[in-house]
């Protein structure tokens, strides 16, 4: 338990334990190094707990992804790549860890889930979105390469063509859109409560068997290679002058 993450084990209606992780960081849960490190520590606690079901929440806004302000500051100091190395590979490991762990993950979305934070949604087994939830990549606007599984996990879920167009056009998908394309299973004012009810009705053994078949060794290896390719592309683009200019313009427009 710490200042950026809270976690606890709650009992489902069927008596099973569910490990609940809630991001409570400032700046709308921006994915900066400390938050990502503490998410991994929460996953360590999850593994030690023995729970086979876990829910990840984020408050009013799930997460706005990477902290553009901190990326820009690092770039101005000539440390863009160094800062990115503290963020992107750690996020990629988190996404891959969710896919590999013999745990069923649920994602409760409220407000924004943008940039790399959407990777937590992509790696979840079930998800429910509040009516105000939305997912948007922003990579084409920022000059960043996609991370968090946008170019590796997402195509496995919705296909290469839809994933590419989403990234290229920087589309904003609202809750109903997310349900239509199968990334969330329901839209509900209380996504956390709905997910706990869904978990209680779900046979854990059957669901974990399905996960192990769907995310088999070959597919997991392909995902790992794709996540590593995302990281390499991100690091190669982050030092460009054009990327620095785009970050500066974005920060001015966002106030």
């Amino acid at each position: 338990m710490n200042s950026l993450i809270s976690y606890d084990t709650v009992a489902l209606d069927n008596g099973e334990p569910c490990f609940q992780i809630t991001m409570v960081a400032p700046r709308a849960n921006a994915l900066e190094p400390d938050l990502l490190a503490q998410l991994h520590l929460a996953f360590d606690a999850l593994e030690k707990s023995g729970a086979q079901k876990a829910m990840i929440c984020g408050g009013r806004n799930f997460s706005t992804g990477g902290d553009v302000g901190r990326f820009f500051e690092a770039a101005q100091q000539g440390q863009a790549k160094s800062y990115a190395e503290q963020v992107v590979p750690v996020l990629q490991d988190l996404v891959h860890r969710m896919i590999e762990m013999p745990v069923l993950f649920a994602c409760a979305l409220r407000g924004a889930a943008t940039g790399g934070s959407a990777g937590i949604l992509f790696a979840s087994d079930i998800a429910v979105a509040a009516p105000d939830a939305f997912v948007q990549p922003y990579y084409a606007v920022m000059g960043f390469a996609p991370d968090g599984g946008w170019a590796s996990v997402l195509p496995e879920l919705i296909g290469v063509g839809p994933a590419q167009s989403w990234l290229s056009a920087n589309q904003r998908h609202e809750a109903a859109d997310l349900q239509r394309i199968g990334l969330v299973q329901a839209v509900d004012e209380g996504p956390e409560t709905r997910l706990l009810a869904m978990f209680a009705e779900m046979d854990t053994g059957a669901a974990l068997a399905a996960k192990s078949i769907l995310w088999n060794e070959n597919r997991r290896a392909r995902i790992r290679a794709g996540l590593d390719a995302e990281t390499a592309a991100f690091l190669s683009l982050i030092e460009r002058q054009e990327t620095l200019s785009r970050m500066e313009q974005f920060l001015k427009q966002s106030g």
Side-chain angles (χ1 to χ4, degrees):
M1 201 76 64
N2 50 62
S3 59
L4 303 179
I5 299 288
S6 68
Y7 56 82
D8 197 7
T9 302
V10 299
L12 299 173
D13 287 345
N14 65 358
E16 279 187 282
C18 176
F19 196 87
Q20 183 168 328
I21 301 170
T22 305
M23 295 181 285
V24 292
R27 298 172 67 87
N29 294 319
L31 298 180
E32 46 80 35
D34 289 340
L35 176 60
L36 288 166
Q38 290 181 16
L39 278 170
H40 276 286
L41 290 175
F43 278 24
D44 292 343
L46 165 60
E47 290 180 321
K48 291 176 183 177
S49 76
Q52 294 180 298
K53 292 176 178 175
M55 179 169 65
I56 303 177
C57 317
R60 187 172 66 86
N61 279 298
F62 185 77
S63 172
T64 52
D67 190 329
V68 177
R70 290 193 63 176
F71 272 112
F72 182 65
E73 290 173 7
Q76 287 183 307
Q77 298 165 11
Q79 299 177 350
K81 186 175 181 180
S82 175
Y83 178 74
E85 287 171 340
Q86 300 174 56
V87 175
V88 179
V90 186
L91 170 62
Q92 310 296 63
D93 287 346
L94 191 78
V95 170
H96 195 250
R97 196 172 177 184
M98 290 177 67
I99 291 171
E100 283 200 315
M101 287 175 68
V103 172
L104 299 170
F105 282 96
C107 181
L109 288 182
R110 293 181 181 271
T114 54
S117 73
I120 296 173
L121 168 64
F122 303 154
S124 293
D125 300 287
I126 58 171
V128 174
D132 69 342
F134 69 93
V135 176
Q136 189 168 359
Y138 282 104
Y139 298 105
V141 174
M142 300 306 308
F144 294 166
D147 62 349
W150 275 93
S152 54
V153 182
L154 182 63
E156 295 278 344
L157 305 177
I158 67 172
V160 173
Q164 183 178 15
S165 65
W166 192 354
L167 282 164
S168 299
N170 190 37
Q171 293 172 308
R172 173 171 167 153
H173 279 348
E174 310 283 353
D177 299 323
L178 298 172
Q179 185 176 21
R180 176 181 55 79
I181 62 178
L183 289 181
V184 307
Q185 283 63 62
V187 177
D188 197 291
E189 291 282 357
E192 299 86 2
T193 302
R194 181 71 173 273
L195 281 169
L196 292 175
M198 292 170 68
F199 259 165
E201 295 175 356
M202 184 186 302
D203 183 277
T204 303
L208 283 174
K211 177 175 181 173
S212 69
I213 297 168
L214 290 166
W215 292 117
N216 57 50
E217 184 177 355
N218 289 339
R219 189 167 283 135
R220 292 198 309 270
R222 186 165 68 245
I223 292 297
R224 179 73 265 179
L227 290 168
D228 291 344
E230 287 181 359
T231 299
F234 195 104
L235 296 178
S236 72
L237 292 180
I238 192 64
E239 295 181 301
R240 295 187 310 162
Q241 182 59 44
E242 181 181 352
T243 301
L244 179 63
S245 299
R246 285 181 175 273
M247 284 192 284
E248 184 175 21
Q249 182 179 6
F250 177 83
L251 290 169
K252 287 179 179 177
Q253 290 176 346
S254 60

